[in-house]
Amino acid sequence: MRYEFDFDSLRDYWPSFLHGALMTLQMTAVATVLGLAIGVVLAIGRRGRSRWIAGLCGAYVEIVRNTPYLIQIFFLFFGLSSIGLRLPIFAAAVLTMVINVGAYTAEIVRAGMDTVPPGQVEAAQALGLSTPQIYWDVILRPALERVYPALTSQFVLMMLSSSVTSQISAEELTAIANNIQSDTFRPFETYIVVALLYLAMALLLKFGFHLFGQAIFPRRRRLGTPL
């Protein structure tokens, strides 16, 4: 069986490919910023003294991490619409990404916070630092520095997982590719192009996170620690 590749048939669709890639990056950017904020709050809540707050944060993390991402999307888009709370497609897709990455980020950040020696916290208390100062300067910043590579890997994985949002017709890269292959009847070539675009975006994000990490963690840069 011989197959003749025909990438020329996709030439007119490059603006659509790029639009889908840009939409994917926009969704990832919003999910990264908001998901990190939610993850930090959840990590602090799980380590707090209040049992009911820790329990609620723990329940959130366990529910999100132990249910399929696709089901979460369907719940927010189709489930809520059945009771009159219809979300726009883009909002439902991004909200699901934020909820999902927030739960995974919480566990990563909590693991980093657990590595801070209790003696450092006790020394900060002895010096008279306030609780917010202790959490930021003694616990959170060193923790984020330690788990930064794991965090950035999670954000890249979320970008790749955003392809699932095509199931609710979010105009990201995979959804665009599905439409293009339906028009051109060239699924092999279409998905080769899409795979290369996802690879390029993943490498671009990793490089951007590397530069950002060097900027905010100068000590790691001086020590030559990979980010």
Side-chain angles (χ1 to χ4, degrees):
M1 180 178 179
R2 298 180 59 185
Y3 184 86
E4 294 184 4
F5 288 95
D6 181 18
F7 288 97
D8 288 338
S9 60
L10 303 179
R11 185 176 303 171
D12 294 337
Y13 292 93
W14 270 107
S16 298
F17 279 121
L18 295 178
H19 170 75
L22 180 60
M23 182 65 68
T24 298
L25 292 175
Q26 289 177 343
M27 294 166 63
T28 303
V30 176
T32 297
V33 174
L34 297 183
L36 177 60
I38 291 174
V40 170
V41 172
L42 289 173
I44 294 174
R46 293 199 71 178
R47 299 179 78 254
R49 297 179 179 178
S50 174
R51 288 188 176 182
W52 70 271
I53 292 179
L56 287 176
C57 293
Y60 173 94
V61 171
E62 293 303 320
I63 290 173
V64 173
R65 285 171 48 123
N66 292 286
T67 54
Y69 182 40
L70 182 60
I71 298 302
Q72 296 168 14
I73 294 175
F74 285 168
F75 175 80
L76 288 179
F77 187 67
F78 297 115
L80 293 183
S81 65
S82 66
I83 59 174
L85 299 175
R86 183 170 181 81
L87 296 175
I89 292 176
F90 181 82
V94 173
L95 181 58
T96 308
M97 292 174 65
V98 170
I99 291 173
N100 197 273
V101 77
Y104 284 92
T105 299
E107 285 298 277
I108 295 173
V109 173
R110 185 173 69 89
M113 295 170 72
D114 288 342
T115 64
V116 176
Q120 292 187 8
V121 178
E122 294 171 0
Q125 292 172 339
L127 291 173
L129 272 65
S130 63
T131 300
Q133 287 177 319
I134 292 174
Y135 256 104
W136 175 244
D137 293 319
V138 180
I139 300 176
L140 192 55
R141 286 183 62 184
L144 290 176
E145 185 175 351
R146 292 187 181 98
V147 301
Y148 185 76
L151 282 175
T152 56
S153 295
Q154 185 61 49
F155 298 147
V156 173
L157 285 174
M158 178 51 60
M159 184 274 293
L160 299 175
S161 299
S162 67
S163 60
V164 179
T165 63
S166 63
Q167 297 300 309
I168 60 171
S169 300
E171 293 185 358
E172 48 75 58
L173 184 55
T174 300
I176 296 295
N178 292 338
N179 295 332
I180 292 174
Q181 66 90 17
S182 296
D183 292 339
T184 62
F185 298 101
R186 286 287 173 176
F188 200 17
E189 292 89 337
T190 299
Y191 291 118
I192 287 176
V193 171
V194 169
L196 292 175
L197 286 173
Y198 273 116
L199 176 61
M201 289 190 294
L203 295 176
L204 177 64
L205 285 178
K206 288 182 179 180
F207 181 69
F209 285 132
H210 172 73
L211 294 180
F212 184 72
Q214 287 191 327
I216 63 175
F217 299 128
R219 187 172 66 88
R220 294 178 69 96
R221 183 175 68 248
R222 290 194 300 268
L223 294 175
T225 305
L227 295 172

